[in-house]
Amino acid sequence: MPFPSSVPNLMIEYSMDMKEHADEIQSAQLEQILKSIKYYLPVSMILATLLAAVQYSAGNHPIIISWLATLYGIALLRSLIFRHFLKSPLDNPAGIRKRLLILRLCVFAGGITWGAAGYLLFPHGDPQHQIFLIFMLAGLSAGGLISYSADFGSAAIYAVTAIFPLSISLYQMEGNLSEVMSLSLLLYLIFIIMFLRQLSRNITNNIQMRIETRLAKDEIIAGAERYRLLLKHSPVGIFHFDKDMQITYCNEIIVTILHSSTDIIEGLDMHILKDQSLVAPAQAALAGNIGRFEGKYEATFSNLSLWISLICAPSRNSAGDIIGGIGIVQDLTERKEAADEIRKLAFFDPLTSLPNRRQLMDWLKQAMLGSSRNGKSGALLFINLDNFNNVNETCGHDTGDLLLQQSATRIVSCVRESDTVSRTGGDEFLVILESLNEDKLIAAGQAETIAEKIRLSLNQPFRISPHVLHITSSIGVTLFRGSEQKLDDILKQSDIAMHEAKYTGRNSIRFFDPVMQDAVNNRALLLIELNKALENNELELYYQVQVDNHQQPVGAETLLRWIHPRLGMISPVTFIPLAEETGLIIRIGQWVIETACEQVKRWQTSDATQHLVLAVNISAKQFRQPDFTKQLRSTLNRHAIHPGKLKLEITESVVLDNIERIIHTMSDLKEIGIQFSLDDFGTGYSSLQYLKRLPLDQLKIDKSFVRDLVVDTNDQAIVSTIIAMAHSLHLDVIAEGVESAEQAQFLLQMNCCHFQGYLFGKPVALGEFEKQLAQFQVKSLSGDGSIASVKN
């Protein structure tokens, strides 16, 4: 395993003191002494026997025998103890210290015994035996001191106990020479102790060096193992390269990152890499610097493309010279993709991949700054898909999502490359148009051209199997120039213009102007007042009579009126669309039904009015409520009225949305006797296919066809066709907006039998309406269509 030479040679200089490894040093001292004694004890016993034999001829036999026996006993005991120590080594500090103490006691015992020989066996009158004794004790002392030299304490004890008694014996002899010899022996003892001190230090240092060497070796091995494990299990790729930029080593991670092999990477010359992005960081490392690279990398031996981070550092030898470098590689691909995904989720719509509102705001700000610099105009288009919720409800949300995706594609195809399309949520799209003409009118024309292109594109059928969908769009446009306006104001203006497009019939384009802003503010105030209207009883039903061909009242249509205490009468044209848009129409519609049923209940109690049928307009939103049938049944039961006296007027827009569900609802109500009239017939997408399936009772001819009926042949043809078709389907027909006898005459000739309009009575409050009923005289129309009597 190669190592970077920048890592210092692991010849670590330890600054250990004696205390740090005292126990281990004592253990080594003890071991060394025990090994030495193993040879010293037998030799000392042989010499002791020889000494006893020589001295035996010179003197006191009992003392010599007692001394020798004592020496043999102590030697045997020491031999057994030391043998036990050698066979049972210890590694715990307390045990080692205890054994060292025992060793010193044994040394003391041995030293005292040998020292006793210098005193007890000293032959005072025999010089030859004296010299022999001194020679033997000096030699045995030297051997013992060498054996015990590993422990200064043991060696010093042995030297003092073995030699000092002999010095006393010499001192006690008569003569100056003996005293000099005693003093010399003491000086010898002191010298030996000093020598032992230095020798012990040397031995201890030697032991310490052995320990340090072993620890250094262990550290080198451990360091090598750590480095090997680091290279093997590191979460990053690591490679080494020499001064020629040839890769000398790589770990498994870099092999995995590059989808390659060790055989290919090791020995590779970095100069031949297909992507030279790695060369510059490596060269920086060889120059003694830290080289870095982060970016996209193209692999040399495959088509792999990935994002990596590379850091190169110089590799040095023990002298500090650069001999190569080390590279650390991280695969950033997943992190980069995750960051891109997070950014996409933060700034782009996941369904259409278009910029979202957050991104749009930033780009709109940039567009305004650009407009300030170049003086060009810009525009913001607010696009809303008309009746998109109907698609979700009838075809499902999956189809709705596909419709949004295709709509996004069409919008993008209609704008320039410099323009920005975003989806801000639901069925709303915003388009930023940049670099329009400096002239405001010309810029408006350019913006309108693009908006019209978008509108026409969205008008084309969407083929989303198994459906063919038709939608329209309402587009609001606001112009901007420079950065004086606030971003929120521009968005608000485009939103206002878009809603104006909706209010004027949808499928159209409208530009923002200050009048629109005033209208929006007024609508907001009106909505607040409308919410109060129900609680304050400001709503009222007006009634417009419906008559047959004999001018006999057959019923009435309820028309909602709002009488505001401060603003007076507010037209339904003003507040009904607002109620529809905000959902308030549900509450208002229920109030209308409750009030109508109360009136029918009162009419049922009078012979003059019990035959009257009351027609109530039902909004599409109210009719689509899941509990509409249940609520209506409950209201009828609560008021105990005949269901046949209530007629619900619905428009074609109600029928076109989920016709199967509408037929089911109508059939349920038809079973209990409620009548249905199709209001404004002919103005929408009239179709015989659904008309023949609906459980209708009546068609109402829209007043737009009646208005010019006398003079317009087209209207005459349309009305005649509607009446003929209704009769063929066994449906009754009523014409609204009849204002003249001539109109009534034409309708009568076309076999229309029911009429409603100012000719017979205007919409009036209940009290006025009941007066009208009292004034009606039963009249009939003559055969030639002349009106005998009409009272308005």
Side-chain angles (χ1 to χ4, degrees), residues 534-553:
L534 275 171
E535 289 133 16
N536 297 339
N537 296 320
E538 296 172 11
L539 298 181
E540 185 176 347
L541 287 186
Y542 274 38
Y543 300 82
Q544 186 173 28
V545 69
Q546 295 177 340
V547 301
D548 60 14
N549 56 346
H550 301 295
Q551 294 186 58
Q552 176 65 40

mmCIF file with all atom_site columns, all heavy atoms in Angstrom, residues 534-553:
data_model
loop_
_atom_site.group_PDB
_atom_site.id
_atom_site.type_symbol
_atom_site.label_atom_id
_atom_site.label_alt_id
_atom_site.label_comp_id
_atom_site.label_asym_id
_atom_site.label_entity_id
_atom_site.label_seq_id
_atom_site.pdbx_PDB_ins_code
_atom_site.Cartn_x
_atom_site.Cartn_y
_atom_site.Cartn_z
_atom_site.occupancy
_atom_site.B_iso_or_equiv
_atom_site.pdbx_formal_charge
_atom_site.auth_seq_id
_atom_site.auth_comp_id
_atom_site.auth_asym_id
_atom_site.auth_atom_id
_atom_site.pdbx_PDB_model_num
ATOM 1   N N   . LEU A 1 534 ? -79.034  39.774 2.713   1.00 0.00 ? 534 LEU A N   1
ATOM 2   C CA  . LEU A 1 534 ? -79.888  38.681 3.174   1.00 0.00 ? 534 LEU A CA  1
ATOM 3   C C   . LEU A 1 534 ? -80.287  38.866 4.639   1.00 0.00 ? 534 LEU A C   1
ATOM 4   O O   . LEU A 1 534 ? -81.442  38.656 5.006   1.00 0.00 ? 534 LEU A O   1
ATOM 5   C CB  . LEU A 1 534 ? -79.155  37.350 3.002   1.00 0.00 ? 534 LEU A CB  1
ATOM 6   C CG  . LEU A 1 534 ? -79.253  36.701 1.609   1.00 0.00 ? 534 LEU A CG  1
ATOM 7   C CD1 . LEU A 1 534 ? -78.313  35.514 1.512   1.00 0.00 ? 534 LEU A CD1 1
ATOM 8   C CD2 . LEU A 1 534 ? -80.672  36.276 1.314   1.00 0.00 ? 534 LEU A CD2 1
ATOM 9   N N   . GLU A 1 535 ? -79.297  39.251 5.456   1.00 0.00 ? 535 GLU A N   1
ATOM 10  C CA  . GLU A 1 535 ? -79.597  39.394 6.873   1.00 0.00 ? 535 GLU A CA  1
ATOM 11  C C   . GLU A 1 535 ? -80.512  40.585 7.150   1.00 0.00 ? 535 GLU A C   1
ATOM 12  O O   . GLU A 1 535 ? -81.288  40.583 8.103   1.00 0.00 ? 535 GLU A O   1
ATOM 13  C CB  . GLU A 1 535 ? -78.283  39.564 7.657   1.00 0.00 ? 535 GLU A CB  1
ATOM 14  C CG  . GLU A 1 535 ? -77.483  38.256 7.690   1.00 0.00 ? 535 GLU A CG  1
ATOM 15  C CD  . GLU A 1 535 ? -76.030  38.446 7.363   1.00 0.00 ? 535 GLU A CD  1
ATOM 16  O OE1 . GLU A 1 535 ? -75.578  39.592 7.399   1.00 0.00 ? 535 GLU A OE1 1
ATOM 17  O OE2 . GLU A 1 535 ? -75.374  37.441 7.061   1.00 0.00 ? 535 GLU A OE2 1
ATOM 18  N N   . ASN A 1 536 ? -80.390  41.619 6.302   1.00 0.00 ? 536 ASN A N   1
ATOM 19  C CA  . ASN A 1 536 ? -81.160  42.847 6.536   1.00 0.00 ? 536 ASN A CA  1
ATOM 20  C C   . ASN A 1 536 ? -82.481  42.872 5.774   1.00 0.00 ? 536 ASN A C   1
ATOM 21  O O   . ASN A 1 536 ? -83.141  43.912 5.714   1.00 0.00 ? 536 ASN A O   1
ATOM 22  C CB  . ASN A 1 536 ? -80.322  44.062 6.146   1.00 0.00 ? 536 ASN A CB  1
ATOM 23  C CG  . ASN A 1 536 ? -79.069  44.196 6.997   1.00 0.00 ? 536 ASN A CG  1
ATOM 24  O OD1 . ASN A 1 536 ? -79.005  43.646 8.094   1.00 0.00 ? 536 ASN A OD1 1
ATOM 25  N ND2 . ASN A 1 536 ? -78.077  44.913 6.495   1.00 0.00 ? 536 ASN A ND2 1
ATOM 26  N N   . ASN A 1 537 ? -82.836  41.737 5.159   1.00 0.00 ? 537 ASN A N   1
ATOM 27  C CA  . ASN A 1 537 ? -84.101  41.635 4.405   1.00 0.00 ? 537 ASN A CA  1
ATOM 28  C C   . ASN A 1 537 ? -84.210  42.697 3.314   1.00 0.00 ? 537 ASN A C   1
ATOM 29  O O   . ASN A 1 537 ? -85.267  43.304 3.113   1.00 0.00 ? 537 ASN A O   1
ATOM 30  C CB  . ASN A 1 537 ? -85.304  41.752 5.353   1.00 0.00 ? 537 ASN A CB  1
ATOM 31  C CG  . ASN A 1 537 ? -85.370  40.602 6.335   1.00 0.00 ? 537 ASN A CG  1
ATOM 32  O OD1 . ASN A 1 537 ? -85.109  39.457 5.950   1.00 0.00 ? 537 ASN A OD1 1
ATOM 33  N ND2 . ASN A 1 537 ? -85.688  40.892 7.576   1.00 0.00 ? 537 ASN A ND2 1
ATOM 34  N N   . GLU A 1 538 ? -83.107  42.926 2.624   1.00 0.00 ? 538 GLU A N   1
ATOM 35  C CA  . GLU A 1 538 ? -83.114  43.915 1.548   1.00 0.00 ? 538 GLU A CA  1
ATOM 36  C C   . GLU A 1 538 ? -83.500  43.303 0.201   1.00 0.00 ? 538 GLU A C   1
ATOM 37  O O   . GLU A 1 538 ? -83.764  44.031 -0.757  1.00 0.00 ? 538 GLU A O   1
ATOM 38  C CB  . GLU A 1 538 ? -81.724  44.561 1.441   1.00 0.00 ? 538 GLU A CB  1
ATOM 39  C CG  . GLU A 1 538 ? -81.335  45.354 2.677   1.00 0.00 ? 538 GLU A CG  1
ATOM 40  C CD  . GLU A 1 538 ? -79.884  45.824 2.640   1.00 0.00 ? 538 GLU A CD  1
ATOM 41  O OE1 . GLU A 1 538 ? -79.272  45.704 1.550   1.00 0.00 ? 538 GLU A OE1 1
ATOM 42  O OE2 . GLU A 1 538 ? -79.361  46.287 3.672   1.00 0.00 ? 538 GLU A OE2 1
ATOM 43  N N   . LEU A 1 539 ? -83.493  41.987 0.108   1.00 0.00 ? 539 LEU A N   1
ATOM 44  C CA  . LEU A 1 539 ? -83.879  41.321 -1.139  1.00 0.00 ? 539 LEU A CA  1
ATOM 45  C C   . LEU A 1 539 ? -85.394  41.160 -1.181  1.00 0.00 ? 539 LEU A C   1
ATOM 46  O O   . LEU A 1 539 ? -86.056  40.932 -0.165  1.00 0.00 ? 539 LEU A O   1
ATOM 47  C CB  . LEU A 1 539 ? -83.201  39.947 -1.243  1.00 0.00 ? 539 LEU A CB  1
ATOM 48  C CG  . LEU A 1 539 ? -81.669  39.957 -1.283  1.00 0.00 ? 539 LEU A CG  1
ATOM 49  C CD1 . LEU A 1 539 ? -81.144  38.537 -1.415  1.00 0.00 ? 539 LEU A CD1 1
ATOM 50  C CD2 . LEU A 1 539 ? -81.158  40.820 -2.436  1.00 0.00 ? 539 LEU A CD2 1
ATOM 51  N N   . GLU A 1 540 ? -85.929  41.254 -2.393  1.00 0.00 ? 540 GLU A N   1
ATOM 52  C CA  . GLU A 1 540 ? -87.387  41.160 -2.562  1.00 0.00 ? 540 GLU A CA  1
ATOM 53  C C   . GLU A 1 540 ? -87.679  40.497 -3.901  1.00 0.00 ? 540 GLU A C   1
ATOM 54  O O   . GLU A 1 540 ? -86.936  40.687 -4.876  1.00 0.00 ? 540 GLU A O   1
ATOM 55  C CB  . GLU A 1 540 ? -88.007  42.560 -2.519  1.00 0.00 ? 540 GLU A CB  1
ATOM 56  C CG  . GLU A 1 540 ? -89.521  42.568 -2.569  1.00 0.00 ? 540 GLU A CG  1
ATOM 57  C CD  . GLU A 1 540 ? -90.108  43.972 -2.424  1.00 0.00 ? 540 GLU A CD  1
ATOM 58  O OE1 . GLU A 1 540 ? -89.339  44.889 -2.042  1.00 0.00 ? 540 GLU A OE1 1
ATOM 59  O OE2 . GLU A 1 540 ? -91.297  44.149 -2.732  1.00 0.00 ? 540 GLU A OE2 1
ATOM 60  N N   . LEU A 1 541 ? -88.758  39.712 -3.925  1.00 0.00 ? 541 LEU A N   1
ATOM 61  C CA  . LEU A 1 541 ? -89.166  39.080 -5.178  1.00 0.00 ? 541 LEU A CA  1
ATOM 62  C C   . LEU A 1 541 ? -90.204  39.965 -5.876  1.00 0.00 ? 541 LEU A C   1
ATOM 63  O O   . LEU A 1 541 ? -91.180  40.407 -5.264  1.00 0.00 ? 541 LEU A O   1
ATOM 64  C CB  . LEU A 1 541 ? -89.771  37.699 -4.927  1.00 0.00 ? 541 LEU A CB  1
ATOM 65  C CG  . LEU A 1 541 ? -88.799  36.580 -4.531  1.00 0.00 ? 541 LEU A CG  1
ATOM 66  C CD1 . LEU A 1 541 ? -89.535  35.244 -4.458  1.00 0.00 ? 541 LEU A CD1 1
ATOM 67  C CD2 . LEU A 1 541 ? -87.650  36.485 -5.522  1.00 0.00 ? 541 LEU A CD2 1
ATOM 68  N N   . TYR A 1 542 ? -89.957  40.226 -7.155  1.00 0.00 ? 542 TYR A N   1
ATOM 69  C CA  . TYR A 1 542 ? -90.946  40.861 -8.012  1.00 0.00 ? 542 TYR A CA  1
ATOM 70  C C   . TYR A 1 542 ? -91.582  39.770 -8.875  1.00 0.00 ? 542 TYR A C   1
ATOM 71  O O   . TYR A 1 542 ? -90.990  38.713 -9.101  1.00 0.00 ? 542 TYR A O   1
ATOM 72  C CB  . TYR A 1 542 ? -90.290  41.923 -8.903  1.00 0.00 ? 542 TYR A CB  1
ATOM 73  C CG  . TYR A 1 542 ? -90.176  43.283 -8.234  1.00 0.00 ? 542 TYR A CG  1
ATOM 74  C CD1 . TYR A 1 542 ? -89.877  43.403 -6.884  1.00 0.00 ? 542 TYR A CD1 1
ATOM 75  C CD2 . TYR A 1 542 ? -90.384  44.445 -8.978  1.00 0.00 ? 542 TYR A CD2 1
ATOM 76  C CE1 . TYR A 1 542 ? -89.783  44.650 -6.289  1.00 0.00 ? 542 TYR A CE1 1
ATOM 77  C CE2 . TYR A 1 542 ? -90.288  45.709 -8.376  1.00 0.00 ? 542 TYR A CE2 1
ATOM 78  C CZ  . TYR A 1 542 ? -89.976  45.796 -7.027  1.00 0.00 ? 542 TYR A CZ  1
ATOM 79  O OH  . TYR A 1 542 ? -89.882  47.020 -6.424  1.00 0.00 ? 542 TYR A OH  1
ATOM 80  N N   . TYR A 1 543 ? -92.801  40.081 -9.355  1.00 0.00 ? 543 TYR A N   1
ATOM 81  C CA  . TYR A 1 543 ? -93.543  39.066 -10.109 1.00 0.00 ? 543 TYR A CA  1
ATOM 82  C C   . TYR A 1 543 ? -93.962  39.658 -11.446 1.00 0.00 ? 543 TYR A C   1
ATOM 83  O O   . TYR A 1 543 ? -94.448  40.785 -11.511 1.00 0.00 ? 543 TYR A O   1
ATOM 84  C CB  . TYR A 1 543 ? -94.787  38.613 -9.333  1.00 0.00 ? 543 TYR A CB  1
ATOM 85  C CG  . TYR A 1 543 ? -94.450  37.996 -7.981  1.00 0.00 ? 543 TYR A CG  1
ATOM 86  C CD1 . TYR A 1 543 ? -94.201  38.806 -6.859  1.00 0.00 ? 543 TYR A CD1 1
ATOM 87  C CD2 . TYR A 1 543 ? -94.375  36.617 -7.829  1.00 0.00 ? 543 TYR A CD2 1
ATOM 88  C CE1 . TYR A 1 543 ? -93.883  38.254 -5.634  1.00 0.00 ? 543 TYR A CE1 1
ATOM 89  C CE2 . TYR A 1 543 ? -94.062  36.051 -6.601  1.00 0.00 ? 543 TYR A CE2 1
ATOM 90  C CZ  . TYR A 1 543 ? -93.814  36.871 -5.507  1.00 0.00 ? 543 TYR A CZ  1
ATOM 91  O OH  . TYR A 1 543 ? -93.505  36.331 -4.301  1.00 0.00 ? 543 TYR A OH  1
ATOM 92  N N   . GLN A 1 544 ? -93.778  38.867 -12.525 1.00 0.00 ? 544 GLN A N   1
ATOM 93  C CA  . GLN A 1 544 ? -94.248  39.278 -13.853 1.00 0.00 ? 544 GLN A CA  1
ATOM 94  C C   . GLN A 1 544 ? -95.222  38.220 -14.349 1.00 0.00 ? 544 GLN A C   1
ATOM 95  O O   . GLN A 1 544 ? -94.894  37.036 -14.406 1.00 0.00 ? 544 GLN A O   1
ATOM 96  C CB  . GLN A 1 544 ? -93.091  39.442 -14.830 1.00 0.00 ? 544 GLN A CB  1
ATOM 97  C CG  . GLN A 1 544 ? -93.548  40.018 -16.172 1.00 0.00 ? 544 GLN A CG  1
ATOM 98  C CD  . GLN A 1 544 ? -92.398  40.355 -17.103 1.00 0.00 ? 544 GLN A CD  1
ATOM 99  O OE1 . GLN A 1 544 ? -91.345  39.742 -17.030 1.00 0.00 ? 544 GLN A OE1 1
ATOM 100 N NE2 . GLN A 1 544 ? -92.613  41.322 -17.975 1.00 0.00 ? 544 GLN A NE2 1
ATOM 101 N N   . VAL A 1 545 ? -96.385  38.691 -14.699 1.00 0.00 ? 545 VAL A N   1
ATOM 102 C CA  . VAL A 1 545 ? -97.460  37.786 -15.047 1.00 0.00 ? 545 VAL A CA  1
ATOM 103 C C   . VAL A 1 545 ? -97.156  37.039 -16.334 1.00 0.00 ? 545 VAL A C   1
ATOM 104 O O   . VAL A 1 545 ? -96.494  37.553 -17.247 1.00 0.00 ? 545 VAL A O   1
ATOM 105 C CB  . VAL A 1 545 ? -98.796  38.558 -15.177 1.00 0.00 ? 545 VAL A CB  1
ATOM 106 C CG1 . VAL A 1 545 ? -98.789  39.476 -16.388 1.00 0.00 ? 545 VAL A CG1 1
ATOM 107 C CG2 . VAL A 1 545 ? -99.999  37.590 -15.233 1.00 0.00 ? 545 VAL A CG2 1
ATOM 108 N N   . GLN A 1 546 ? -97.674  35.803 -16.432 1.00 0.00 ? 546 GLN A N   1
ATOM 109 C CA  . GLN A 1 546 ? -97.635  34.988 -17.642 1.00 0.00 ? 546 GLN A CA  1
ATOM 110 C C   . GLN A 1 546 ? -99.087  34.644 -17.994 1.00 0.00 ? 546 GLN A C   1
ATOM 111 O O   . GLN A 1 546 ? -99.852  34.205 -17.123 1.00 0.00 ? 546 GLN A O   1
ATOM 112 C CB  . GLN A 1 546 ? -96.823  33.708 -17.420 1.00 0.00 ? 546 GLN A CB  1
ATOM 113 C CG  . GLN A 1 546 ? -95.336  33.973 -17.147 1.00 0.00 ? 546 GLN A CG  1
ATOM 114 C CD  . GLN A 1 546 ? -94.557  32.701 -16.864 1.00 0.00 ? 546 GLN A CD  1
ATOM 115 O OE1 . GLN A 1 546 ? -95.149  31.682 -16.514 1.00 0.00 ? 546 GLN A OE1 1
ATOM 116 N NE2 . GLN A 1 546 ? -93.240  32.753 -17.013 1.00 0.00 ? 546 GLN A NE2 1
ATOM 117 N N   . VAL A 1 547 ? -99.424  34.860 -19.270 1.00 0.00 ? 547 VAL A N   1
ATOM 118 C CA  . VAL A 1 547 ? -100.834 34.673 -19.676 1.00 0.00 ? 547 VAL A CA  1
ATOM 119 C C   . VAL A 1 547 ? -100.915 33.679 -20.824 1.00 0.00 ? 547 VAL A C   1
ATOM 120 O O   . VAL A 1 547 ? -99.910  33.391 -21.497 1.00 0.00 ? 547 VAL A O   1
ATOM 121 C CB  . VAL A 1 547 ? -101.462 36.010 -20.107 1.00 0.00 ? 547 VAL A CB  1
ATOM 122 C CG1 . VAL A 1 547 ? -101.409 37.019 -18.961 1.00 0.00 ? 547 VAL A CG1 1
ATOM 123 C CG2 . VAL A 1 547 ? -100.763 36.567 -21.335 1.00 0.00 ? 547 VAL A CG2 1
ATOM 124 N N   . ASP A 1 548 ? -102.153 33.186 -21.032 1.00 0.00 ? 548 ASP A N   1
ATOM 125 C CA  . ASP A 1 548 ? -102.380 32.284 -22.173 1.00 0.00 ? 548 ASP A CA  1
ATOM 126 C C   . ASP A 1 548 ? -102.967 33.076 -23.332 1.00 0.00 ? 548 ASP A C   1
ATOM 127 O O   . ASP A 1 548 ? -103.027 34.324 -23.290 1.00 0.00 ? 548 ASP A O   1
ATOM 128 C CB  . ASP A 1 548 ? -103.288 31.125 -21.775 1.00 0.00 ? 548 ASP A CB  1
ATOM 129 C CG  . ASP A 1 548 ? -104.655 31.604 -21.281 1.00 0.00 ? 548 ASP A CG  1
ATOM 130 O OD1 . ASP A 1 548 ? -104.977 32.807 -21.500 1.00 0.00 ? 548 ASP A OD1 1
ATOM 131 O OD2 . ASP A 1 548 ? -105.392 30.807 -20.700 1.00 0.00 ? 548 ASP A OD2 1
ATOM 132 N N   . ASN A 1 549 ? -103.406 32.430 -24.383 1.00 0.00 ? 549 ASN A N   1
ATOM 133 C CA  . ASN A 1 549 ? -103.898 33.125 -25.583 1.00 0.00 ? 549 ASN A CA  1
ATOM 134 C C   . ASN A 1 549 ? -105.238 33.809 -25.356 1.00 0.00 ? 549 ASN A C   1
ATOM 135 O O   . ASN A 1 549 ? -105.732 34.527 -26.224 1.00 0.00 ? 549 ASN A O   1
ATOM 136 C CB  . ASN A 1 549 ? -103.994 32.157 -26.759 1.00 0.00 ? 549 ASN A CB  1
ATOM 137 C CG  . ASN A 1 549 ? -104.859 30.943 -26.451 1.00 0.00 ? 549 ASN A CG  1
ATOM 138 O OD1 . ASN A 1 549 ? -105.198 30.675 -25.297 1.00 0.00 ? 549 ASN A OD1 1
ATOM 139 N ND2 . ASN A 1 549 ? -105.208 30.195 -27.480 1.00 0.00 ? 549 ASN A ND2 1
ATOM 140 N N   . HIS A 1 550 ? -105.828 33.604 -24.196 1.00 0.00 ? 550 HIS A N   1
ATOM 141 C CA  . HIS A 1 550 ? -107.061 34.309 -23.851 1.00 0.00 ? 550 HIS A CA  1
ATOM 142 C C   . HIS A 1 550 ? -106.785 35.435 -22.859 1.00 0.00 ? 550 HIS A C   1
ATOM 143 O O   . HIS A 1 550 ? -107.743 35.965 -22.269 1.00 0.00 ? 550 HIS A O   1
ATOM 144 C CB  . HIS A 1 550 ? -108.074 33.334 -23.236 1.00 0.00 ? 550 HIS A CB  1
ATOM 145 C CG  . HIS A 1 550 ? -108.436 32.194 -24.147 1.00 0.00 ? 550 HIS A CG  1
ATOM 146 N ND1 . HIS A 1 550 ? -109.108 32.365 -25.342 1.00 0.00 ? 550 HIS A ND1 1
ATOM 147 C CD2 . HIS A 1 550 ? -108.188 30.852 -24.035 1.00 0.00 ? 550 HIS A CD2 1
ATOM 148 C CE1 . HIS A 1 550 ? -109.278 31.196 -25.924 1.00 0.00 ? 550 HIS A CE1 1
ATOM 149 N NE2 . HIS A 1 550 ? -108.721 30.260 -25.148 1.00 0.00 ? 550 HIS A NE2 1
ATOM 150 N N   . GLN A 1 551 ? -105.533 35.773 -22.701 1.00 0.00 ? 551 GLN A N   1
ATOM 151 C CA  . GLN A 1 551 ? -105.106 36.777 -21.724 1.00 0.00 ? 551 GLN A CA  1
ATOM 152 C C   . GLN A 1 551 ? -105.491 36.390 -20.303 1.00 0.00 ? 551 GLN A C   1
ATOM 153 O O   . GLN A 1 551 ? -105.621 37.237 -19.424 1.00 0.00 ? 551 GLN A O   1
ATOM 154 C CB  . GLN A 1 551 ? -105.696 38.157 -22.039 1.00 0.00 ? 551 GLN A CB  1
ATOM 155 C CG  . GLN A 1 551 ? -105.170 38.740 -23.339 1.00 0.00 ? 551 GLN A CG  1
ATOM 156 C CD  . GLN A 1 551 ? -105.667 40.149 -23.547 1.00 0.00 ? 551 GLN A CD  1
ATOM 157 O OE1 . GLN A 1 551 ? -105.431 41.005 -22.699 1.00 0.00 ? 551 GLN A OE1 1
ATOM 158 N NE2 . GLN A 1 551 ? -106.344 40.372 -24.649 1.00 0.00 ? 551 GLN A NE2 1
ATOM 159 N N   . GLN A 1 552 ? -105.616 35.107 -20.061 1.00 0.00 ? 552 GLN A N   1
ATOM 160 C CA  . GLN A 1 552 ? -105.925 34.601 -18.729 1.00 0.00 ? 552 GLN A CA  1
ATOM 161 C C   . GLN A 1 552 ? -104.624 34.341 -17.999 1.00 0.00 ? 552 GLN A C   1
ATOM 162 O O   . GLN A 1 552 ? -103.768 33.599 -18.471 1.00 0.00 ? 552 GLN A O   1
ATOM 163 C CB  . GLN A 1 552 ? -106.728 33.302 -18.826 1.00 0.00 ? 552 GLN A CB  1
ATOM 164 C CG  . GLN A 1 552 ? -107.005 32.658 -17.479 1.00 0.00 ? 552 GLN A CG  1
ATOM 165 C CD  . GLN A 1 552 ? -107.907 33.510 -16.601 1.00 0.00 ? 552 GLN A CD  1
ATOM 166 O OE1 . GLN A 1 552 ? -108.850 34.109 -17.088 1.00 0.00 ? 552 GLN A OE1 1
ATOM 167 N NE2 . GLN A 1 552 ? -107.602 33.563 -15.324 1.00 0.00 ? 552 GLN A NE2 1
ATOM 168 N N   . PRO A 1 553 ? -104.380 34.961 -16.824 1.00 0.00 ? 553 PRO A N   1
ATOM 169 C CA  . PRO A 1 553 ? -103.143 34.691 -16.078 1.00 0.00 ? 553 PRO A CA  1
ATOM 170 C C   . PRO A 1 553 ? -103.038 33.207 -15.717 1.00 0.00 ? 553 PRO A C   1
ATOM 171 O O   . PRO A 1 553 ? -103.984 32.636 -15.153 1.00 0.00 ? 553 PRO A O   1
ATOM 172 C CB  . PRO A 1 553 ? -103.283 35.539 -14.824 1.00 0.00 ? 553 PRO A CB  1
ATOM 173 C CG  . PRO A 1 553 ? -104.261 36.619 -15.194 1.00 0.00 ? 553 PRO A CG  1
ATOM 174 C CD  . PRO A 1 553 ? -105.225 35.970 -16.130 1.00 0.00 ? 553 PRO A CD  1
#
